[in-house]
Amino acid sequence: MTTAQAGTGRTVTTNIPARLDRLPWSRWHWTIVIGLGTVWILDGLEVTVVGNIASRLSEPGSGLPISSGEVTGLAAALYVAGACSGALFWGRLTDTWGRKKLFMITLAVYLGATALTAVSFETWWFFAFRFLTGFGIGGEYAAINSAIDELIPAQYRGRVDLMINGSFWLGAVGGSLLSIVALNTELFAMNVGWRLTFALGAVLALVILLVRRHVPESPRWLLIHGRDDEAERIVSSIEQRVRADRSEPLPRPEGEITIHQRRSVTFLEIGRTVFSKYRRRAFLGFALFIGQAFLYNAITFGYGAILTSFFNVPSGSTGYYFAVIAVGNFLGPLVLGKLFDTVGRRVMISTTYLLSGLLLFGTAWLFDRGALGAGTLTACWCAVLFFASAGASSAYLTVSEVFPMETRAMSIAFFYALGTAAGGISGPLLFADLTGTGKVGDTVLAFQIGATLMCLAGLVAAALAVRAERRSLEDVAEPLTAAEPTATERAGSRRQGSGSRTATA
């Protein structure tokens, strides 16, 4: 390989990935979970608040000339469209500029956009900043999931990834309860309460931005991009903190990897890798994302409208029902997450998708026969989403860990964007049209479409899911820059015993 091709002109043999993977769980890992995972709380807050305030925004005196269908349909679709385009835009930069720089920038974009949503004075303004809010969140998906999987030890990666992605539903609980207070006209005027919910989202984003400053750059990313000395300093610092926390010697790292350092990977290489070398994994990613995106974006944006249309639940009370659903959603990844690391990815991904789809078919059947009320429908959705939330979270885990390091953020962005565009934009629009008719049969059809897509995704996972549990990322998908070490490099690595070393290419 020439110097130009290699980027830095060096070949590196290192055991840095093995050193990160062999670490026992510690307080330092909790700082990563808190610093990175809390952004999903904001996403959950955003989505839930919009769904719950839809009816209030459409009422006279809200301050915006907008209908409930426009909030749950067009505005929801614009938010998801922004997230899709943001994922693609920021995803490429995440692989090029680094994880930390991008998860700071994208959170700042979200903060500004949601604050400006709070001061919407015309419908077009509300629509525009819903799009930009999604644009920031979309970038977070690529940057955060990349950083999580590259910093968390292999034996915990599945449960931690699911728990962090599942924290979306803590935000949903908060958004549901917040909407109850904000929509109480005895406390706030009709044109003020809904604005405060968005303003609070901006305040929480600012707090998270301050906490996130202490999360380091991914040593794996630094290593591949020629900054191995910095990667060594970060890993040594992490080891020191974990050792002090555990008060015991760390396990010996096992395994090394040799790579040709480079600064960037072309789109052609990414496309060839994902759609040629790993085309079965690509098909798996599409199936998982389309299924969960349709189900979740349709239901989360439209559930409040179902309650008010079919069960005459007051718009100010829909938050109570959604809070119950959100708790069930959070418990799914929390309770089932460990099984993704022990029972295994293939069994758990396929099972959670299939069970949620079958339960949703049952819910549609009961709804069609008029056997459900607001409370019992909510109970059914709790059962459906207990499994669906674990499955949906595993979609992000899957596309993050089954493709090479150099393409990780872009792969997450690509599958999120296309899968969500197919299911997440069409979902709210189609669901709003079906539920908006007020006909039971149309709403049943919406349920059945979501159930079918989840079941199909479960069958694909049963056949194609990768057994990535407790395996290093480099073992699951070898880096594009990986190379066989020379005899001299192997001897030098044995003498040094740890860290990284370089040789001129």
Side-chain angles (χ1 to χ4, degrees):
M1 178 176 289
T2 67
T3 298
Q5 289 173 319
T8 65
R10 294 184 299 169
T11 298
V12 178
T13 299
T14 182
N15 63 358
I16 279 179
R19 290 163 65 189
L20 289 169
D21 281 335
R22 87 3 171 135
L23 293 176
W25 192 261
S26 67
R27 281 181 292 183
W28 181 83
H29 293 105
W30 279 117
T31 66
I32 301 302
V33 171
I34 294 171
L36 298 182
T38 43
V39 73
W40 298 155
I41 296 177
L42 289 180
D43 193 15
L45 184 73
E46 281 284 328
V47 172
T48 308
V49 161
V50 172
N52 287 333
I53 69 173
S55 299
R56 177 56 49 83
L57 276 175
S58 65
E59 295 173 1
S62 70
L64 284 181
I66 193 171
S67 69
S68 177
E70 286 177 320
V71 178
T72 59
L74 181 56
L78 285 171
Y79 177 84
V80 177
C84 293
S85 55
L88 292 172
F89 178 80
W90 300 115
R92 176 61 174 166
L93 296 180
T94 300
D95 279 331
T96 305
W97 292 356
R99 290 27 174 155
K100 181 168 185 173
K101 184 176 293 185
L102 266 296
F103 64 57
M104 297 294 283
I105 292 173
T106 53
L107 183 59
V109 170
Y110 165 86
L111 190 159
T114 197
L116 289 168
T117 302
V119 295
S120 296
F121 56 90
E122 290 288 349
T123 303
W124 68 265
W125 181 282
F126 182 81
F127 287 155
F129 285 101
R130 289 308 295 159
F131 176 86
L132 290 176
T133 301
F135 191 75
I137 284 292
E140 286 280 292
Y141 277 101
I144 297 302
N145 281 290
S146 298
I148 290 168
D149 286 351
E150 291 167 10
L151 289 170
I152 297 299
Q155 63 178 320
Y156 303 107
R157 189 172 63 241
R159 73 195 74 177
V160 171
D161 199 294
L162 261 69
M163 181 175 66
I164 287 179
N165 281 283
S167 67
F168 173 100
W169 295 103
L170 289 179
V173 173
S176 299
L177 299 178
L178 177 63
S179 67
I180 294 171
V181 177
L183 297 181
N184 188 338
T185 53
E186 294 182 0
L187 298 176
F188 303 104
M190 289 186 63
N191 64 343
V192 173
W194 65 267
R195 299 180 188 275
L196 293 178
T197 62
F198 290 111
L200 179 60
V203 172
L204 292 176
L206 179 61
V207 173
I208 295 172
L209 195 64
L210 296 174
V211 172
R212 192 174 281 182
R213 293 179 305 162
H214 304 291
V215 176
E217 179 58 86
S218 164
R220 285 175 157 103
W221 183 89
L222 291 170
L223 184 64
I224 284 179
H225 289 78
R227 295 162 63 181
D228 39 290
D229 289 341
E230 187 177 348
E232 173 63 32
R233 288 194 298 271
I234 289 175
V235 174
S236 295
S237 174
I238 294 171
E239 289 174 329
Q240 184 177 3
R241 293 182 62 179
V242 173
R243 192 180 294 112
D245 182 37
R246 303 280 298 192
S247 300
E248 61 186 31
L250 298 179
R252 184 179 180 84
E254 298 180 1
E256 294 179 332
I257 188 170
T258 299
I259 62 169
H260 294 303
Q261 292 179 326
R262 58 196 299 180
R263 293 190 176 93
S264 65
V265 179
T266 67
F267 278 112
L268 181 61
E269 288 175 290
I270 293 174
R272 185 184 300 119
T273 300
V274 174
F275 298 109
S276 179
K277 183 177 181 179
Y278 293 110
R279 57 181 175 272
R280 289 166 61 90
R281 298 182 182 188
F283 184 74
L284 170 67
F286 279 127
L288 296 181
F289 267 96
I290 289 173
Q292 64 88 21
F294 184 95
L295 177 72
Y296 270 100
N297 286 286
I299 298 307
T300 52
F301 284 118
Y303 192 68
I306 293 175
L307 292 175
T308 55
S309 298
F310 291 99
F311 303 109
N312 298 316
V313 175
S315 60
S317 300
T318 58
Y320 291 110
Y321 296 90
F322 208 97
V324 174
I325 286 179
V327 170
N329 271 280
F330 178 66
L331 289 177
L334 188 66
V335 173
L336 302 176
K338 185 177 181 179
L339 299 178
F340 284 77
D341 286 322
T342 54
V343 175
R345 304 288 201 261
R346 178 172 294 179
V347 171
M348 291 305 301
I349 295 173
S350 59
T351 299
T352 50
Y353 270 81
L354 286 169
L355 281 176
S356 61
L358 293 174
L359 288 170
L360 182 50
F361 273 124
T363 300
W365 183 80
L366 292 172
F367 186 83
D368 188 35
R369 280 152 180 75
L372 299 176
T376 50
L377 178 62
T378 300
C380 287
W381 272 109
C382 281
V384 170
L385 298 177
F386 175 83
F387 295 103
S389 60
S393 296
S394 72
Y396 294 95
L397 169 66
T398 297
V399 297
S400 176
E401 67 183 0
V402 302
F403 297 105
M405 161 77 195
E406 298 89 340
T407 70
R408 180 161 294 120
M410 195 61 202
S411 295
I412 297 168
F414 184 78
F415 286 100
Y416 169 78
L418 290 190
T420 303
I425 296 178
S426 62
L429 292 175
L430 177 61
F431 202 86
D433 286 342
L434 290 174
T435 58
T437 66
K439 297 178 181 178
V440 171
D442 289 341
T443 301
V444 168
L445 177 60
F447 289 177
Q448 291 172 336
I449 292 173
T452 299
L453 291 173
M454 290 296 283
C455 286
L456 289 175
L459 293 175
V460 172
L464 301 181
V466 179
R467 301 185 188 279
E469 57 273 9
R470 300 185 302 280
R471 296 171 61 192
S472 72
L473 294 171
E474 292 73 21
D475 184 34
V476 175
E478 185 179 64
L480 300 180
T481 48
E484 288 295 326
T486 65
T488 301
E489 290 167 346
R490 286 194 293 268
S493 296
R494 286 195 294 270
R495 286 194 300 271
Q496 290 196 0
S498 65
S500 64
R501 58 175 224 91
T502 62
T504 304

